[in-house]
Amino acid sequence: MTMLAERPAINSLHPDAAGLAPIHYVVGSGIRTATAEAVVWGSGFIGSNDALRMPVEQILAVRGPLTARRVVEAGGALGLPMGDPALLLPLFYDPDIAPRYDIGLIQHFREAGPNRCRACRPASACA
């Protein structure tokens, strides 16, 4: 996938990401893995025990108020812009895909799998 940077997007934990800088953390809960080479504009924490391992000066925006509070507690500035940049994705990527079902469910990767959330779907959707 190529987006604004006109370069392929790769996961920061991928071996090919070693040595690339800066690494931009934009969506999701990746701020807990962000290091000194990171720039954050929209990521957040997923757990209350997650630690910040990067300079607060490189955090330009956060996903929400809980992450903003944690950044301030770590010495960051008040009034960081907040919001999930994933809300802007349809401006850049909006494929024309015909729906196959009346309802769609996108599970978090931790819950995803064929045996999860069976109560949410009819047996015909399990095929």
Side-chain angles (χ1 to χ4, degrees):
M1 176 189 323
T2 301
M3 292 262 188
L4 296 176
E6 297 182 355
R7 297 186 319 194
I10 61 173
N11 187 299
S12 64
L13 302 177
H14 190 279
D16 290 345
L20 296 178
I23 296 174
H24 294 269
Y25 288 75
V26 182
V27 297
S29 304
I31 196 171
R32 71 185 189 282
T33 62
T35 61
E37 301 83 31
V39 174
V40 172
W41 51 285
S43 187
F45 287 109
I46 195 168
S48 59
N49 294 324
D50 290 338
L52 189 61
R53 304 181 318 165
M54 64 173 295
V56 293
E57 297 82 22
Q58 293 164 214
I59 301 173
L60 308 177
V62 293
R63 188 173 55 199
L66 297 177
T67 300
R69 185 187 67 215
R70 299 278 304 281
V71 171
V72 169
E73 290 169 357
L78 287 169
L80 282 173
M82 284 187 266
D84 193 330
L87 295 172
L88 301 174
L89 187 60
L91 298 175
F92 303 99
Y93 182 73
D94 191 16
D96 187 20
I97 299 173
R100 292 174 44 188
Y101 304 101
D102 292 336
I103 297 174
L105 175 64
I106 301 173
Q107 297 170 296
H108 190 276
F109 76 93
R110 292 181 183 171
E111 287 83 33
N115 296 321
R116 304 291 183 139
C117 204
R118 288 216 176 263
C120 298
R121 60 186 176 195
S124 62
C126 295

